[in-house]
Amino acid sequence: MSAHTGLRAVPVDDRAWLLAALDDALAGGAPVLPLPAGTDPGIDPEIARLQAQPLPEGTALVVRTSGSSGIPKAVALSAAALRASAAATHERLGGGRSADGADPAGSDDGADPAGSGGGQWLVALPGHLISGLQMLVRSRLAGTDPVFVDGPFDPAALLAAADRMQHPRRYVSLVPVQLARLLDLAEADPAAADALRGFAGVLVGGQATPLPLRQRAHELGVALRRSYGMTETAGGCVYDGVEIGDTRIRIRRSETGAGEVQIAGPCLALGYVGDPELTAERFIEERDRDGVVTRWYRTGDAGELLGGMLTVTGRVDRVVISGE
């Protein structure tokens, strides 16, 4: 089913409006289309086209992405998928440590509705992409205020912004090049290393994280978690090669013979806005012998499962574009 539901186009630099609109969408209100900072909603014809499209029933968020194919798409996500993703992340991060070295996950003060790993997020990724948006969703569901890092990426500025965080559990999500620059600083500055170790979780995703980079983080005692996911899975759904929450992974051989990573679970998107053919191609349904239907997302990524851990080896179509 689909319906016209008054898609709100909100530039992400209007943070008060964005957070209020996001709260409303998560509660069943009008869906939100986050726009890059500085965008004028009245000028871009693609925005008007999307606002005229019928949306899948239950859409809370529409996120524009080129994904790994390079073809622009608009992904419709439900509030249930966003909530499931955020809860699974906080559950998996619950075993981390706080900035003061304590583990408040067992606190009974009732301040952590998102799960035992709920905390405060430092936002250093674009808010119109799922990687940045999920930090806002996690914050709203945890009842915490996100802290933003503005301007071009600067590792010293990021760690300075961390000083403004009030929650005992601090999290940040990065891409590998940002992590590398942070590690450069931390290896040269003991105070910076202490600040980086103060995060209960440092997620890194968007593309493969080289082993030498992971080793450097380990040697510094950084609570690094490798995240794999995409807009169509409401962000990261596999941490350190293992599914989070109720996510399921399987490998299926494609037409080229490569093993394609396919994902099922409550975090899956509803589909692509205005493109039922692509939705049917990428989101497939299978019925088991008991008649239970499972919906799978075909990622287009090549990979393998070894000992229950996912390793992504490239693209089945041999095309790789960085970004979550």
Side-chain angles (χ1 to χ4, degrees), residues 106-117:
S107 170
D108 59 359
D109 60 6
D112 187 11
S116 63

Side-chain angles (χ1 to χ4, degrees), residues 60-123:
L61 201 60
V62 174
V63 183
R64 296 190 291 180
T65 176
S66 62
S68 299
S69 66
I71 301 172
K73 302 181 288 291
V75 180
L77 291 157
S78 68
L82 294 165
R83 289 176 178 274
S85 175
T89 289
H90 284 151
E91 179 184 23
R92 181 58 59 89
L93 294 178
R97 61 177 176 274
S98 66
D100 60 5
D103 184 356
S107 170
D108 59 359
D109 60 6
D112 187 11
S116 63
Q120 192 173 25
W121 287 85
L122 185 61
V123 183

Side-chain angles (χ1 to χ4, degrees), residues 175-241:
V175 294
V177 66
Q178 292 174 323
L179 175 63
R181 293 185 60 189
L182 271 170
L183 293 176
D184 289 342
L185 176 61
E187 288 166 346
D189 182 348
D194 286 341
L196 188 54
R197 281 191 290 266
F199 286 98
V202 176
L203 298 185
V204 61
Q207 60 190 110
T209 306
L211 179 58
L213 195 61
R214 288 149 50 190
Q215 289 175 330
R216 291 171 62 194
H218 176 73
E219 289 168 1
L220 278 173
V222 177
L224 188 68
R225 295 292 181 96
R226 290 176 293 120
S227 171
Y228 170 75
M230 54 282 299
T231 307
E232 290 88 345
T233 61
C237 59
V238 177
Y239 286 1
D240 299 320

Side-chain angles (χ1 to χ4, degrees), residues 142-204:
T144 59
D145 293 323
V147 173
F148 295 89
V149 183
D150 295 315
F153 182 76
D154 180 333
L158 183 143
L159 295 179
D163 287 338
R164 305 200 307 269
M165 303 177 78
Q166 302 298 315
H167 198 280
R169 298 187 70 84
R170 303 173 184 178
Y171 301 120
V172 65
S173 184
L174 307 167
V175 294
V177 66
Q178 292 174 323
L179 175 63
R181 293 185 60 189
L182 271 170
L183 293 176
D184 289 342
L185 176 61
E187 288 166 346
D189 182 348
D194 286 341
L196 188 54
R197 281 191 290 266
F199 286 98
V202 176
L203 298 185
V204 61

